[in-house]
Amino acid sequence: MAKNILLPTDFSDNAWSAAVYALKLYADEECTFYFLHSSKIKASAMSNITNRLLRVMTENAKRDLAELKEMAEKANTNASHNFETILSSEDLHDSIKRTIAQFNIDLVVMGTKGATKAKEILFGSNTVNVFKKIKECPVLVVPDEYDFETPKQIVFPTDFNRFYGEELISLKRLAELHNSKIKILHINEENNLSDIQNYNFSMLKAYLEDYPHTFHWMPDYAKKSQAINEFIEELGINILAIINYKHSFIENIIKEPVLKKIGFHPTVPFLVIPGSE
């Protein structure tokens, strides 16, 4: 079945890098890629913008989208890849929501930062808002200037405190693309698993029985973010997959200031899967 992939863009190098990653990730799949640009002007700036300037900005955005589509078509080698462009006057997260519903989007792929590309910023404000507000489909976030590597290994951290159902479909679909091995990582915060944890562990094992997977335990000697980073580096992980639910690892990250001090520096692309409440 053909995939529909949404590529939000602000025409930055980071956004283009994420788009290239998506093209390579789905290199052998039938896909339609949608380049989406949100051109909404902040209310505080509207008073200084004339109708003529607004028309010029709109025309420039249309031209940039057309050039982006042309670049993608030239960089692409799969005849089963189609490209469409969307220019929206809504907020980015609203335009993403609308596009997901209208075109049955399977995955949103975007960069960690926007055009400002400030080194001290971990995630750009647009990326954080997408994490928080987009619950309709998973989001794959690509670090700045990341070179594509075939995702042979995906790490999925879990505390086994939750029962996973439909959320695992996104993880399975990602693994299927390149026959990736799924490494389930548990950071020990207890000496023994509780009855609930043991049950969820067994169910997770059963749900992934048709997929290459292994379980890994790490001692709770540091921040979870540090432990995950070390696991990624030591085992040559290509993608980090996280389910975003209340009080989860990713929620705790985006609640804090998006600065280096939070200790989580994504060195590989990571999949943020909306959690069922």
Side-chain angles (χ1 to χ4, degrees), residues 119-123 256-265:
K119 287 185 177 181
E120 72 276 9
I121 299 297
L122 178 62
F123 300 124
E256 298 199 36
V258 285
L259 300 175
K260 285 184 177 181
K261 66 179 182 180
I262 70 173
F264 178 63
H265 304 283

Side-chain angles (χ1 to χ4, degrees), residues 181-199:
K181 294 179 180 177
I182 301 171
K183 295 186 178 296
I184 298 96
L185 173 62
H186 178 68
I187 299 169
N188 292 343
E189 295 181 292
E190 64 287 299
N191 293 326
N192 298 294
L193 296 182
S194 68
D195 290 343
I196 291 175
Q197 287 177 308
N198 272 314
Y199 175 77

Side-chain angles (χ1 to χ4, degrees), residues 3 31 39 57 63 95 113 124 128 137 147 214 225 234-235:
K3 303 289 193 305
C31 294
S39 61
M57 293 171 67
R63 184 197 64 226
S95 59
K113 304 173 186 176
V128 171
C137 80
D147 292 325
T214 51
S225 55
E234 290 175 8
L235 276 79

Side-chain angles (χ1 to χ4, degrees), residues 21 24-25 146-152 236-239 268:
Y21 183 90
K24 292 181 178 180
L25 183 66
Y146 182 81
D147 292 325
F148 180 83
E149 294 179 356
T150 302
K152 291 300 183 185
I237 300 298
N238 308 112
I239 291 180
V268 298

Side-chain angles (χ1 to χ4, degrees), residues 87-275:
L87 179 61
S88 173
S89 59
E90 296 179 295
D91 286 331
L92 179 62
H93 60 270
D94 288 335
S95 59
I96 289 177
K97 280 178 176 285
R98 184 182 296 275
T99 305
I100 289 172
Q102 184 175 355
F103 297 103
N104 194 27
I105 297 297
D106 297 290
L107 179 69
V108 178
V109 182
M110 63 189 300
T112 51
K113 304 173 186 176
T116 55
K117 205 174 177 181
K119 287 185 177 181
E120 72 276 9
I121 299 297
L122 178 62
F123 300 124
S125 58
N126 281 334
T127 308
V128 171
N129 280 332
V130 170
F131 283 161
K132 289 180 177 178
K133 297 176 180 179
I134 302 304
K135 307 295 184 183
E136 293 80 6
C137 80
V139 179
L140 183 65
V141 183
V142 181
D144 190 29
E145 298 180 354
Y146 182 81
D147 292 325
F148 180 83
E149 294 179 356
T150 302
K152 291 300 183 185
Q153 301 197 88
I154 301 170
V155 63
F156 174 55
T158 177
D159 56 14
F160 299 124
N161 284 323
R162 290 178 67 93
F163 176 84
Y164 298 124
E166 291 186 358
E167 299 100 328
L168 294 178
I169 293 174
S170 298
L171 179 61
K172 290 178 179 180
R173 286 176 178 169
L174 181 63
E176 287 169 351
L177 289 174
H178 296 277
N179 195 30
S180 307
K181 294 179 180 177
I182 301 171
K183 295 186 178 296
I184 298 96
L185 173 62
H186 178 68
I187 299 169
N188 292 343
E189 295 181 292
E190 64 287 299
N191 293 326
N192 298 294
L193 296 182
S194 68
D195 290 343
I196 291 175
Q197 287 177 308
N198 272 314
Y199 175 77
N200 292 333
F201 167 75
S202 299
M203 293 306 297
L204 184 59
K205 193 173 184 179
Y207 277 158
L208 295 176
E209 64 179 354
D210 294 330
Y211 297 79
H213 68 277
T214 51
F215 287 87
H216 302 262
W217 268 250
M218 285 188 73
D220 183 25
Y221 63 85
K223 286 184 178 180
K224 286 185 179 180
S225 55
Q226 181 180 338
I228 291 171
N229 283 338
E230 289 181 6
F231 187 85
I232 289 171
E233 185 175 343
E234 290 175 8
L235 276 79
I237 300 298
N238 308 112
I239 291 180
L240 167 64
I242 300 172
I243 296 179
N244 185 17
Y245 53 86
K246 285 185 179 179
H247 312 302
S248 67
F249 168 69
I250 189 67
E251 186 187 72
N252 291 335
I253 286 176
I254 61 180
K255 276 185 176 179
E256 298 199 36
V258 285
L259 300 175
K260 285 184 177 181
K261 66 179 182 180
I262 70 173
F264 178 63
H265 304 283
T267 56
V268 298
F270 61 103
L271 182 73
V272 180
I273 303 168

